[in-house]
Amino acid sequence: INAEYMGDAISFGGDVDVDELSSFITRETGLWIGLPGCLEAFDKLASGFSSSEDMTTRLASAEKELEGLADDASKVSGRYYVRVMQKVSTKGADYPQSEVLRLEKLMTSKITDEKKAEMQTRLHILSSFGAKLTKPEPPPEVDAEEDKDEGADEE
């Protein structure tokens, strides 16, 4: 890279994880890096929503965006963004963080993998509102049969 084209370096002071790095890059460069389940248009509306004076306008924009979504997964995510915006409007700016804590607690209980995936998507969306995840994202599940087969090759 030619140093002549580079500006001043920007220090990264967060935790080195996907959420923090993604958030940092988006904030500093304007480049959107979406987490699984996140939608770019909704992330832009969610960013700074809690401290925004135009919550009503942003919420109306989100509802309009929701109407234009085609696939089911995007609709589910879009509806959650709108619901969080409504809750922030009524319960206050602390709602996304309190919801993160609630969902992280639920994820430690005995729930199906499908529910865990749904909650992980919700956590990703809440991070778009500026909420900080307090527990690291769980590693992907490894199939026990695959693990046994790999161990047999090593012997």
Side-chain angles (χ1 to χ4, degrees), residues 6-13 24-25 27-29:
M6 294 182 62
D8 293 333
I10 301 169
S11 295
F12 174 73
F24 174 77
I25 291 169
R27 183 177 60 251
E28 297 299 331
T29 67

Side-chain angles (χ1 to χ4, degrees), residues 48-134:
F49 182 83
S50 299
S51 60
S52 174
E53 295 196 13
D54 62 343
M55 281 187 193
T56 307
T57 305
R58 286 189 189 205
L59 179 56
S61 295
E63 289 169 337
K64 186 174 181 178
E65 283 286 334
L66 180 58
E67 291 172 12
L69 296 176
D71 67 284
D72 289 340
S74 293
K75 286 179 183 178
V76 168
S77 290
R79 281 193 292 270
Y80 190 67
Y81 278 97
V82 168
R83 187 164 66 216
V84 171
M85 288 178 180
Q86 291 168 335
K87 295 280 189 174
V88 168
S89 297
T90 58
K91 293 188 175 196
D94 294 336
Y95 175 76
Q97 192 61 51
S98 63
E99 185 66 358
V100 162
L101 296 173
R102 186 184 78 81
L103 289 175
E104 286 179 338
K105 185 176 179 182
L106 281 173
M107 286 184 69
T108 62
S109 64
K110 202 169 196 167
I111 56 174
T112 65
D113 289 342
E114 184 179 325
K115 272 291 184 196
K116 280 186 183 180
E118 181 183 320
M119 287 184 190
Q120 191 62 54
T121 296
R122 288 180 176 193
L123 288 169
H124 289 158
I125 290 171
L126 289 164
S127 72
S128 300
F129 285 86
K132 301 282 183 218
L133 304 183
T134 62

